[in-house]
Amino acid sequence: MNWHMSLRATVAIAAIVGLATASAACGSSDSDEHSVRVMAAASLVDVMKPMTQAYGDEHGGAEVQVDAAASSALVQRLESGAKADVLITADTTTMDKAVAAGVAKDPVIIATNKLVIVVPAGNPSNVTGLEYFTAAGHRTVICASEVPCGRAAETAISAINGTPQPISRAVDVRAALGAVTSGEADAALVYATDATSAGDKVETIEIPNAPVVEYPAAALTDNGKDFVNLLSSDKGKQILTDAGFGAP
C-alpha cells in the first residue's frame, strides 16, 4: 500500500514542478533572480498550483520548485542540509522544531484547516463518527504520530476517550486520503481541503469540535521573502480560501 501511495504523491508533486517550470520558460531575464524553492506540507499540494502561477505572473515567469511531503520529513531534510527558500508546515509544533533547530525563523500563520473523516462514495461500511476508528478490525487509516495530521487524529480520538486502531499509519495526509480513494481503507482522517480535492470519490463526515491546525510559513532566504509575502497578501489569502483553507 505504501508504494502505491508514494507513487501517487510523486506524480502529484511532479505535476506541480512541471507547471512551475513551464511558467518559467515564458519568463523574462529576471526570473532567475526571483526563482524559489518551496518545501510545503503535503496538504498544500493542490493549492501550490495556483499559488506558483500567481507568483510567476508577478515576477516575470519566475520558476517555483515545490517539494511537497510530510511536514516532519521536510524539517528533517533541512536539518540534513537540504536547501530551500520557503518552508510551510501543517502545524505550529513542527515549525517550532524547525526554528529550535535553527533551520527556520520568523514564521507567519497563513491559513488554517480542520480534521474530517473521509469514506468511499456511498459509505459502504456505514461509518458515522470517530468511534469507528477505535475498533480493532475496521479498515481505518490515520497518519503517523510524528506527522501533523497524525497528531490531530490522535487528539480527536482522545477527546472521545478512545484509542486509534488503524490498519495502517500513513506517511502523510495525502497517503491517508489515497487509502480511501483506492479502496484499501473504509475510512481515514484527513483535512477538509484534502477531502474536497478528492471530489465525488469520497464522502465527508464532519467531526464535532474538530481539531484545527494552523499553517506557518517561513522565508529561509531573501529569495523566499516575496513568496511568503504573496501567501500573506490579499491575493494569496483568496487563493487559499478558494481551495477551502480557513483564515489565520
Side-chain angles (χ1 to χ4, degrees):
M1 178 175 67
N2 288 338
W3 182 86
H4 291 290
M5 293 177 183
S6 297
L7 178 60
R8 282 192 292 272
T10 300
V11 171
I13 295 165
I16 291 178
V17 174
L19 174 64
T21 303
S23 297
C26 302
S28 65
S29 60
D30 82 331
S31 62
D32 289 341
E33 178 184 352
H34 295 288
S35 64
V36 293
R37 296 158 295 177
V38 178
M39 285 188 171
S43 50
L44 293 163
V45 67
D46 289 321
V47 77
M48 283 295 105
K49 297 176 184 179
M51 198 68 74
T52 57
Q53 183 64 57
Y55 183 85
D57 291 344
E58 291 183 356
H59 295 90
E63 179 182 4
V64 180
Q65 297 177 332
V66 177
D67 182 4
S71 298
S72 56
L74 297 176
V75 174
Q76 288 171 359
R77 291 175 198 174
L78 289 172
E79 290 177 342
S80 297
K83 302 299 182 182
D85 298 298
V86 177
L87 172 66
I88 316 170
T89 62
D91 71 351
T92 55
T93 298
T94 308
M95 182 61 79
D96 288 345
K97 291 178 180 178
V99 172
V103 296
K105 64 178 181 179
D106 301 326
V108 294
I109 305 300
I110 61 163
T112 61
N113 216 338
K114 67 176 182 177
L115 202 70
V116 298
I117 300 169
V118 288
V119 298
N123 193 8
S125 295
N126 297 314
V127 179
T128 58
L130 288 171
E131 291 78 11
Y132 193 81
F133 290 81
T134 67
H138 285 171
R139 297 197 312 155
T140 62
V141 172
I142 65 175
C143 293
S145 296
E146 66 271 17
V147 179
C149 65
R151 285 193 288 271
E154 291 170 354
T155 297
I157 294 172
S158 293
I160 63 167
N161 298 315
T163 301
Q165 301 281 348
I167 59 169
S168 178
R169 289 273 191 162
V171 295
D172 59 41
V173 71
R174 282 309 174 101
L177 176 68
V180 172
T181 58
S182 68
E184 296 163 351
D186 297 319
L189 290 172
V190 302
Y191 299 130
T193 54
D194 299 295
T196 299
S197 74
D200 58 8
K201 293 180 181 179
V202 302
E203 294 181 13
T204 300
I205 300 171
E206 297 288 335
I207 300 171
N209 302 312
V212 174
V213 296
E214 295 180 316
Y215 287 71
L220 309 183
T221 66
D222 287 342
N223 252 15
K225 290 179 180 178
D226 282 350
F227 195 85
V228 173
N229 287 339
L230 170 63
L231 294 170
S232 302
S233 70
D234 289 343
K235 179 180 288 186
K237 290 176 182 177
Q238 188 61 56
I239 291 171
L240 288 161
T241 299
D242 289 346
F245 290 88

